[in-house]
């Protein structure tokens, strides 16, 4: 390859020194960008109640919870807390004012993955605490719950808050995934808080971290140290409802920004795909289990195919059911989708687009989709149990003892042999082992990966897209060989090529195409899938040229109809988690911070700060404290049942999902003409022209009003 340097200014060492010494070069490369400075200066609007200086907690007994007996047993002091509404107190008693303004030390900690808006929770707490009493201190525990256990913290100052206001990430105090789950860790956390004189600890985290908050609140109840949670996670799976389905918190914070960021990037890929018309872009998007993010991306960007895990789990193969019924049996494998079937559904969509000349497109795959594919879910659950049991009974971990895949497989083989000898041992049998050995090594490695401290499967690290697309590629190859996967050739283009080759398109049309003459995109006959079969077809019809060959114009039309399936894979996750928050998330989180302070100043503990009516728009927002313990239920974790906060997955009957389903055909766009892609634009803080809340919330609310 020959290259040349464009002539232009050059700099020697002395010149470079001078250049670096100029003020302008500092300005040009400064980390302080004007739009960022504006961002830092923005003070989000606050709910009306926060304009008054004092707030009381008003128990709201309209909300009811079905409490798990285990939660009652383990969390006796916080299980019966009511939902608290936060109300302005315009005539507070002296005693109340004294209590409100009493000097406090408030601890804050991030827990779990970053989510845009976290800094504003701290800013809200800090601003409210300062307003109540400038002597109040806020200290931030470093690197997540480890900071509480290890007594690592820093004092939050006005300068720090102002630097991080409305900014993405959790950089101010960092985060971590440690769980305060043993007596020893609880005790160390208690000591840290006690020694620092912390009155209240706010845990800004996901479902597992809020679970942790409840246990810590119980542990510190007697001590009088309050513990509160704040619903954070881009996954959008913390949604709080009472037993009657009343929505108390429609969405965790960070979801909107992450989804908007993914949607913007994916929409750019839609633009690229439809310009270059040669790639299918395969986009895996985060969301450990639930497909909320994928659903919002579908609404925001209209990619051609969006898989929703919960929808796949719901799939019923009617043809199998009917076939079984005819034989008087029941086919249980007809419920839920298999990987193979899923790959067929994707192939069908690809083939249909190709038929109208679109051998390109965009597919969105939620990272947690495998959780909803029965055959894989069984492996995940079984392996969770095997790894957890191993780690509980050995001083070393499974991964330390079996570092290589082959060692791990050998251990599983031993378990399978054991199941033959000991009928009570059922967790891994020879059938499991055989099926497991049938899957590709990279996927086996993925399924065997180390679980996090909460026992969660690391979906983000498994190449889900590779697993699914591997099957898709194989099947497309088969379909191509069968003559089914073809690119439709635009009729006008066909006619032009034939005219240039001095051939009559009307003569060759019926010989070559199965949909001649009326279609806008002509599909080569199934029987023509190679130059050999093309030659045979033309020969049969006496349509070869004088030398007995395929006329060059026909050959070029044939080549146009032959697809190459080319993909580019992308993973959207960490980028969206680090995005600067949308106006919605900035406002939501700042108000969550103010809510947390009101709860603290009113002595609440074991509750989560939430904002009700997010889905109804800012004018209707209502800050609440919701007890965490009644939201807990028993779930299998690390091979045993544990009390945890329930994750909310996509409801396939929800208006948002039903809308996506209704638009599926339109967005697949297996018809001639442009694709109806939607570009939601970049995230900007002024919110100009941007939706005021996640589309999922807006549509669900609209749907609920129509009932
Ligand atoms: P949280 O539940 O802690 O908010 O984290 C969610 C998430 O962003 C998932 O979407 C993703 O699967 C996971 O974190 C990735 O974890 P890690 O940061 O450990 O790679």
């Amino acid at each position: 390859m020959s290259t040349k340097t464009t002539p232009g200014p050059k700099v020697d060492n002395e010149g470079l020194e001078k250049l670096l010494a100029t003020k302008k070069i500092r300005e040009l490369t400064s980390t302080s960008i004007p739009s960022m400075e504006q961002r830092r200066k923005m003070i989000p609007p606050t709910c009306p109640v926060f304009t008054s200086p004092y707030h009381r907690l008003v128990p709201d007994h309209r909300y009811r919870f079905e409490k798990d007996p285990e939660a009652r047993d383990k969390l006796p002091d916080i299980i019966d807390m009511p939902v608290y509404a936060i109300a302005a107190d315009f005539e507070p008693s002296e005693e109340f004012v004294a209590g409100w303004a009493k000097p406090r030390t408030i601890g804050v900690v991030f827990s779990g993955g970053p989510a845009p808006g976290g800094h504003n929770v701290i800013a809200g707490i800090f601003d409210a605490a300062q307003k109540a009493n400038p002597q109040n201190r806020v200290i931030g525990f470093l690197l997540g719950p480890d900071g509480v256990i290890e007594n690592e913290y820093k004092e939050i100052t006005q300068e720090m808050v102002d630097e991080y206001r409305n900014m993405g990430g959790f950089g101010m105090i960092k985060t971590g995934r440690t769980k305060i789950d043993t007596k020893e860790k609880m005790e160390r956390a208690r000591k840290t808080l006690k020694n620092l004189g912390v009155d209240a600890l706010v845990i800004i985290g996901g479902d597992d971290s809020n679970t942790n908050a409840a246990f810590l609140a119980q542990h510190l109840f007697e001590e009088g140290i309050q513990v509160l949670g704040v619903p954070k996670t881009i996954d959008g799976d913390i949604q709080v409802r009472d037993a009657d389905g009343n929505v108390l918190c429609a969405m965790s914070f960070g979801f909107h920004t992450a989804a908007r960021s993914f949607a913007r990037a994916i929409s750019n890929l839609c633009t690229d795909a439809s310009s270059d018309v040669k790639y299918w872009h395969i986009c895996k998007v985060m969301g450990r289990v639930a497909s909320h993010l994928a659903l919002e991306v579908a609404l925001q960007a209209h990619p051609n195919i969006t898989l929703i895990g919960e929808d796949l789990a719901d799939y019923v193969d009617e043809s199998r059911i009917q076939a079984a019924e005819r034989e008087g049996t029941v086919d249980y494998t007809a419920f839920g989708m298999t990987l193979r079937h899923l790959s067929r559904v994707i192939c069908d969509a690809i083939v249909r687009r190709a038929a109208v000349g679109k051998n390109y497109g965009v597919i969105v795959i939620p990272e947690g989709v495998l959780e909803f594919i029965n055959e894989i879910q069984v492996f995940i659950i079984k392996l969770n149990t095997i790894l957890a049991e191993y780690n509980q009974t050995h001083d070393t971990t499974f991964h330390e003892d079996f570092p290589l895949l082959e060692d791990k497989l050998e251990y599983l083989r031993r378990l399978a042999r054991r199941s033959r000898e000991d009928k009570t041992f059922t967790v891994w049998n020879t059938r499991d082992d055989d099926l497991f050995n049938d899957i590709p090594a990279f996927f086996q490695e993925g399924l065997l990966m180390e679980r996090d401290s909460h026992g969660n499967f690391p979906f983000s690290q498994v190449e889900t897209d590779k697993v699914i697309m591997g099957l898709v590629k194989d099947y497309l190859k088969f379909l191509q060989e069968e003559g089914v996967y073809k690119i439709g050739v635009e009729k006008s283009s066909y006619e032009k090529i034939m005219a240039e080759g001095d051939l009559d398109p009307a003569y060759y049309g019926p010989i070559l195409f199965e949909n001649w003459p009326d279609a806008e995109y002509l599909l080569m006959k199934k029987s023509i899938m190679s130059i050999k079969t093309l030659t045979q077809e033309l020969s049969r019809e006496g349509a070869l040229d004088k030398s007995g060959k395929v006329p060059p114009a026909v050959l070029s039309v044939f080549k146009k109809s032959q697809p190459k399936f080319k993909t580019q894979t992308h993973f959207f996750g960490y980028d969206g988690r680090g995005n600067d928050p949308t106006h919605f998330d900035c406002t939501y989180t700042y108000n969550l911070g103010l809510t947390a302070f009101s709860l603290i100043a009113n002595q609440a503990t074991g509750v989560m700060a939430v904002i009700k009516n997010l889905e109804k728009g800012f004018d209707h927002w209502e800050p609440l404290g919701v007890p965490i313990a009644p939201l807990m239920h028993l779930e299998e974790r690390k091979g045993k049942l544990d009390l945890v906060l329930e994750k909310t997955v996509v409801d396939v009957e929800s208006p948002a999902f039903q809308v996506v389903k209704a638009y599926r055909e339109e967005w697949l766009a297996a018809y001639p003409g442009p694709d109806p892609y939607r570009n939601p634009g970049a995230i900007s803080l002024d919110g100009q022209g941007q939706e005021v809340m996640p589309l999922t919330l807006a549509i669900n609310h609209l749907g609920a009003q129509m009932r």
Side-chain angles (χ1 to χ4, degrees):
M1 190 176 74
S2 84
T3 58
K4 72 172 186 196
T5 313
T6 323
K10 302 203 187 312
V11 70
D12 58 14
N13 282 350
E14 198 185 330
L16 181 61
E17 251 173 55
K18 276 192 195 150
L19 185 65
L20 292 176
T22 59
K23 192 166 158 241
K24 191 72 189 160
I25 199 85
R26 293 233 157 261
E27 274 169 25
L28 287 171
T29 57
S30 166
T31 49
S32 151
I33 314 276
S35 60
M36 289 296 136
E37 292 313 318
Q38 273 176 346
R39 204 173 236 287
R40 289 192 174 97
K41 289 204 179 91
M42 202 267 292
I43 299 291
T46 55
C47 299
V49 65
F50 294 125
T51 51
S52 101
Y54 307 106
H55 328 124
R56 265 186 198 288
L57 300 189
V58 182
D60 192 335
H61 296 294
R62 278 175 304 170
Y63 306 112
R64 200 173 60 79
F65 299 97
E66 270 154 23
K67 299 167 192 169
D68 194 298
E70 183 87 0
R72 177 167 295 288
D73 189 40
K74 296 243 167 78
L75 304 163
D77 295 316
I78 55 168
I79 188 87
D80 288 321
M81 303 267 173
V83 169
Y84 290 114
I86 293 173
D89 192 343
F90 294 107
E91 289 176 1
S93 64
E94 268 178 35
E95 193 193 343
F96 183 83
V97 172
W100 179 271
K102 131 185 166 193
R104 290 186 162 81
T105 299
I106 300 170
V108 291
V109 62
F110 289 131
S111 178
H119 289 131
N120 272 21
V121 178
I122 298 183
I125 295 173
F126 185 86
D127 289 353
Q130 287 293 300
K131 198 166 141 193
N133 182 347
Q135 304 299 314
N136 280 339
R137 293 174 67 212
V138 179
I139 58 176
F141 289 100
L142 302 178
L143 292 164
D146 265 340
V148 186
I149 300 168
E150 308 286 345
N151 190 19
E152 294 285 346
Y153 69 94
K154 65 177 167 196
E155 179 110 18
I156 309 277
T157 61
Q158 185 71 53
E159 292 68 38
M160 281 162 72
V161 170
D162 291 343
E163 191 188 335
Y164 284 98
R165 236 178 248 281
N166 304 312
M167 305 303 273
F170 282 178
M172 189 200 272
I173 50 173
K174 326 286 183 222
T175 186
R177 287 198 183 276
T178 300
K179 192 174 174 186
I180 309 180
D181 56 352
T182 60
K183 275 201 181 127
E184 193 217 330
K185 286 190 214 166
M186 287 267 184
E187 202 33 39
R188 290 182 66 184
R190 189 192 66 80
K191 271 197 190 135
T192 303
L193 298 172
K194 192 83 192 146
N195 291 343
L196 291 172
V198 170
D199 299 280
L201 175 69
V202 182
I203 301 182
I204 305 165
D207 50 341
D208 290 324
S209 313
N210 275 281
T211 297
N212 231 204
F215 278 98
L216 208 52
Q218 175 64 51
H219 188 72
L220 301 174
F221 191 81
E222 291 291 322
E223 204 98 24
I225 301 177
Q226 301 158 257
V227 183
L228 285 83
V230 175
K232 167 240 65 155
T233 175
I234 63 160
D235 293 0
D237 54 12
I238 306 192
Q239 300 175 10
V240 182
R241 284 184 174 72
D242 77 347
D244 300 313
N246 294 306
V247 182
L248 298 171
C249 168
M251 189 58 73
S252 51
F253 80 76
F255 169 80
H256 184 233
T257 310
R260 282 287 278 96
S261 152
F262 300 161
R264 162 68 164 171
I266 289 172
S267 135
N268 291 344
L269 292 175
C270 293
T271 306
D272 187 79
S274 55
S275 308
D276 202 17
V277 299
K278 69 172 184 237
Y279 290 125
W280 269 91
H281 288 279
I282 316 302
C283 308
K284 183 170 88 159
V285 302
M286 255 193 193
R288 193 195 298 281
V289 173
S291 301
H292 298 292
L293 283 165
L295 186 72
E296 179 72 16
V297 166
L299 290 164
Q300 293 273 357
H302 306 179
N304 303 106
I305 304 172
T306 303
L307 305 181
I308 300 294
E310 293 80 344
D311 175 43
L312 304 181
D314 227 38
Y315 174 80
V316 179
D317 189 337
E318 290 297 342
S319 61
R320 280 184 174 197
I321 298 217
Q322 282 158 16
E325 261 172 21
R326 282 194 293 276
E327 286 172 15
T329 58
V330 181
D331 184 349
Y332 292 104
T333 63
F335 299 94
M337 199 170 275
T338 61
L339 269 182
R340 185 179 298 269
H341 190 108
L342 174 60
S343 67
R344 305 275 147 106
V345 173
I346 296 174
C347 287
D348 178 60
I350 292 170
V351 166
R352 287 180 53 213
R353 272 179 68 83
V356 291
K358 298 175 181 174
N359 193 34
Y360 63 85
V362 176
I363 305 184
V364 170
I365 301 181
E367 74 170 7
V369 75
L370 296 178
E371 173 86 9
F372 297 95
I373 308 267
N374 276 348
E375 65 205 287
I376 305 300
Q377 198 196 24
V378 170
F379 280 140
I380 293 176
I381 293 173
K382 288 188 170 226
L383 293 171
N384 277 353
T385 310
I386 290 169
L387 300 192
E389 269 177 17
Y390 191 93
N391 294 345
Q392 271 153 24
T393 47
H394 294 75
D395 295 332
T396 45
T397 68
F398 181 81
H399 290 90
E400 279 165 351
D401 289 352
F402 306 107
L404 303 177
L405 176 63
E406 198 33 58
D407 302 336
K408 293 184 175 89
L409 295 179
E410 178 49 36
Y411 179 77
L412 292 177
R413 270 193 288 277
R414 286 212 307 269
L415 293 186
R417 281 198 294 273
R418 184 175 147 199
S419 79
R420 275 207 304 259
E421 287 145 24
D422 173 2
K423 295 291 169 227
T424 61
F425 182 79
T426 52
V427 70
W428 195 256
N429 57 35
T430 41
R431 187 177 143 69
D432 295 324
D433 209 51
D434 289 346
L435 288 175
F436 197 68
N437 280 308
D438 267 356
I439 61 181
F442 80 90
F443 191 24
Q444 289 176 329
E445 300 234 34
L447 292 170
L448 282 161
M449 229 175 259
E450 205 155 349
R451 276 52 176 165
D452 73 6
S453 59
H454 303 277
N456 289 315
F457 179 74
F459 281 106
S460 62
Q461 288 167 57
V462 178
E463 293 173 291
T464 313
D465 40 344
K466 196 165 155 190
V467 177
I468 297 174
M469 294 317 289
L471 291 168
V472 166
K473 280 183 186 158
D474 288 350
Y475 193 60
L476 279 179
K477 207 159 159 229
F478 167 78
L479 292 177
Q480 191 162 0
E481 278 159 15
E482 291 288 293
V484 175
Y485 176 32
K486 292 208 155 84
I487 302 182
V489 181
E490 204 170 0
K491 194 173 178 194
S492 56
S493 157
Y494 161 70
E495 287 169 341
K496 189 163 157 274
I497 297 171
M498 297 302 269
E500 279 168 4
D502 266 344
L503 298 178
D504 178 9
Y507 170 71
Y508 281 92
I511 300 174
L512 297 174
F513 304 114
E514 62 184 38
N515 54 354
W516 177 267
D518 298 325
E520 199 178 320
Y521 281 83
L522 300 170
L523 264 188
M524 195 113 334
K525 284 181 180 165
K526 277 207 184 89
S527 52
I528 306 176
M529 79 286 261
S530 60
I531 299 181
K532 274 197 185 132
T533 52
L534 172 66
T535 314
Q536 285 159 11
E537 194 77 26
L538 293 184
S539 156
R540 205 170 18 250
E541 301 287 340
L544 291 171
D545 67 11
K546 282 186 215 122
S547 57
K549 291 209 167 118
V550 176
V554 174
L555 198 59
S556 109
V557 172
F558 169 76
K559 285 191 178 149
K560 258 181 168 295
S561 76
Q562 290 305 294
K564 277 201 183 75
F565 183 65
K566 296 207 276 187
T567 58
Q568 294 289 346
T569 48
H570 314 265
F571 178 32
F572 297 101
Y574 301 101
D575 49 339
R577 286 196 333 193
N579 211 107
D580 288 327
T582 56
H583 193 270
F584 172 84
D585 271 329
C586 286
T587 313
Y588 178 17
T589 46
Y590 190 66
N591 281 280
L592 280 174
L594 300 179
T595 308
F597 181 78
S598 292
L599 291 165
I600 293 169
N602 279 284
Q603 304 308 324
T605 190
V607 295
M608 200 196 296
V610 306
I611 307 280
K612 189 171 172 270
N613 293 341
L614 288 174
E615 68 284 14
K616 294 186 185 162
F618 181 69
D619 292 347
H620 299 267
W621 285 15
E622 273 178 35
L624 298 180
V626 174
I628 305 172
L631 307 174
M632 293 173 57
H633 78 153
L634 284 172
E635 205 172 272
E636 190 272 341
R637 286 291 171 92
K638 296 188 186 172
K640 62 181 178 50
L641 287 176
D642 254 353
L643 263 185
V644 289
L645 204 72
E646 197 168 6
K647 268 193 202 331
T648 309
V649 296
V650 171
D651 176 0
V652 289
E653 284 171 18
S654 67
F657 174 75
Q658 287 298 325
V659 165
V660 168
K661 193 170 167 188
Y663 276 121
R664 226 172 231 170
E665 266 306 294
E666 191 176 322
W667 296 345
L668 175 63
Y671 48 74
D675 289 283
Y677 296 136
R678 177 179 188 271
N679 188 340
I683 292 173
S684 77
L685 200 49
D686 64 12
Q688 290 273 316
Q690 290 187 4
E691 72 285 343
V692 294
M693 68 177 84
L695 295 181
T696 308
L697 293 198
I699 294 172
N700 281 344
H701 178 54
L702 204 60
Q705 281 177 319
M706 308 226 155
R707 279 215 194 116

